[in-house]
Amino acid sequence: MSNGKSSVGSDTTTRAGAPAHRPLRVALLGCGVVGGEVVRLLHEQAEDLTARIGAPIEIAGIAVRRPQRDRGGLPVPAAIFTTDPLGLVKRDDVDIVIEVVGGIEPARTWLVEALRSGKSVVTANKALLAEDGATLHAAAAEGGADLYYEAAVAGAIPLLRPLRESLHGDRITRVTGIVNGTTNFILSKMCTTGAGFSEALDEATALGYAEADPTADVEGFDAAAKAAILASLAFHTRVTAADVYREGITEVTAADVASAAAMGCVVKLLCIADRTADGGVTARVHPAMIPTSHPLASVGDAFNAVFVEAEAAGQLMFYGRGAGGAPTASAVLGDVVAVARNRISGTVSRGESSYADLRVQPMGEVVTRYHISLDVADKAGVLAAVAGVFAQHAVSISTVKQSGRGNDAVLVIVTHAATDAALAATVAELRSMDMVREVASVMRVES
Ligand SMILES: NC(=O)c1ccc[n+]([C@@H]2O[C@H](COP(=O)([O-])OP(=O)(O)OC[C@H]3O[C@@H](n4cnc5c(N)ncnc54)[C@H](O)[C@@H]3O)[C@@H](O)[C@H]2O)c1
Ligand SMILES: N[C@@H](CCO)C(=O)O
Ligand code: NA
């Protein structure tokens, strides 16, 4: 290891004894939680990677913000670090660019440069892919380069490769996922202990699950980016973050969780992408009640799981760690092996598949069931008046439960399937009624 290069695979022959290809050189952009583990795995697995790829992988350089930072004895020389990511990407001796920095810019500029010049890209950047994947895919097509991003959705879980390869002979009808570990930890805590949102968030922060600024997680932005990527792959249609309806979990209360439990349900932040009866697709992220018998209901702690339904395959469940340095680096390394093999055999995987170009329907057209909790005056005619509002908007009521509270009552209404637009109009009218003191909560119910 000298001259600012780190040879993480020193063998010149594969284990099988076949002549090895020249070393493939990697530019690593970012060396934080994920990048550090990528370096460690490249080093520790060097011999196996060389055997599996047919060439050693060499780190040409690592771009970071602060080269002097203590990185806990990573097995690379100090000279390998640079603060010039674009300069590193442009180097002639780089074959593969791994981007684990995140954010839209300057990451987009680096990756477009890499792809246009024919360098393979492996990235974990869900925000960029969901916001402007089209630009990356176009650059990959232009440069004849590979763009792989298994780590971007559900971390270690092999999910994107199955969607874009294994299931390409089938017709996916629906993808329902828990794709954010932080919010799953918080909601699981609320469901098992009865804690409120703030208390559960504090625990998630103390345990290192939630970041100092948890907005991207608790407001559903992280899950919405993943929903866009999943919907794009599942339906061969370009779906961006802007197409995804998003609601976070900050408004979920202990009372919602108790109400869900009374119905035999738990509350989860779901990412749902499905085909609709009229030939479109929907993509949404919101908290929802799901029956405890649903395969996703038992996904606890900070785990992720994605439930895929396809016409021929039926129901498939993918489960595992969606975050963390090592699990995410595992997915990155899997992609590195794939793109490295392609380089050696002179091939490139098929790029973006968006031929179906289905209409992404607005949330108002989404059809689902709802759980509505109302604080109302406890007097004659209230139930009839409330039921009348539902009927007026063609929202059919499935069950009603009333409990007394002094002069007031709490009405919990569960509807049959209705459009989101009809439900929103119903709720708006309920809010305007004098006898309705408060619409305490509205939550979707998925089955
Ligand atoms: N941490 C996880 O569990 C996880 C899971 C899945 C995907 N991801 C994704 O992986 C990526 C990296 O996440 P992370 O948790 O490792 O982040 P991190 O903050 O720990 O590391 C970011 C790294 O990027 C470097 N960096 C930032 N701006 C830079 C710049 N302008 N120039 C050069 N270097 C710069 C920093 O120095 C740091 O080394 C993100 O896209 C994230 O969404 C993370
Ligand atoms: N913040 C994300 C990391 C993985 O994208 C989570 O909590 O799941
Ligand atoms: Na994954």
Side-chain angles (χ1 to χ4, degrees), residues 29-35 63-66 69 71 83 85 99-103 106 110 124-126 151-152 155 322-325 328:
L29 311 183
C31 195
V33 174
V34 180
V64 291
R65 267 214 179 109
R66 289 178 296 138
R69 215 191 99 193
R71 293 190 162 77
T83 53
E99 186 266 314
V100 279
V101 170
W110 305 332
N125 193 336
K126 60 220 143 192
T328 309

Side-chain angles (χ1 to χ4, degrees), residues 81-125:
F81 290 100
T82 169
T83 53
D84 179 14
L86 191 58
L88 175 58
V89 165
K90 285 182 171 173
R91 269 169 54 175
D92 288 340
D93 63 337
V94 166
D95 301 291
I96 298 168
V97 173
I98 302 176
E99 186 266 314
V100 279
V101 170
I104 310 300
E105 283 295 351
R108 175 169 47 199
T109 301
W110 305 332
L111 298 191
V112 166
E113 168 65 32
L115 292 162
R116 279 198 187 137
S117 59
K119 287 161 185 159
S120 317
V121 164
V122 173
T123 176
N125 193 336

Side-chain angles (χ1 to χ4, degrees), residues 150 153-155 157:
E150 182 61 70
V153 184
I157 307 173

Side-chain angles (χ1 to χ4, degrees), residues 149-161 321-322 331:
Y149 44 97
E150 182 61 70
V153 184
I157 307 173
L159 176 63
L160 304 192
R161 202 85 63 85
R321 292 195 187 278

Side-chain angles (χ1 to χ4, degrees), residues 126 152 179-183 209 211 217 222 226 304 322-323:
K126 60 220 143 192
V179 293
N180 182 270
T182 307
T183 49
Y209 290 118
E211 299 195 20
D217 293 321
D222 176 79
K226 293 163 178 170
N304 283 196

Side-chain angles (χ1 to χ4, degrees), residues 154 159 175-179 230 296 304-308 316-318:
L159 176 63
V175 179
T176 313
I178 294 172
V179 293
L230 289 175
L296 292 174
N304 283 196
V306 178
F307 187 63
V308 177
L316 304 161
M317 176 87 159
F318 299 81

Side-chain angles (χ1 to χ4, degrees), residues 48 69-70 76 78 98 156 162 176 203 272 279 298 353 372 382 386 417 432:
D48 287 301
R69 215 191 99 193
D70 176 14
V76 285
I98 302 176
T176 313
E203 191 172 344
I272 301 170
S298 56
S353 175
I372 299 134
V382 170
V386 164
S432 73

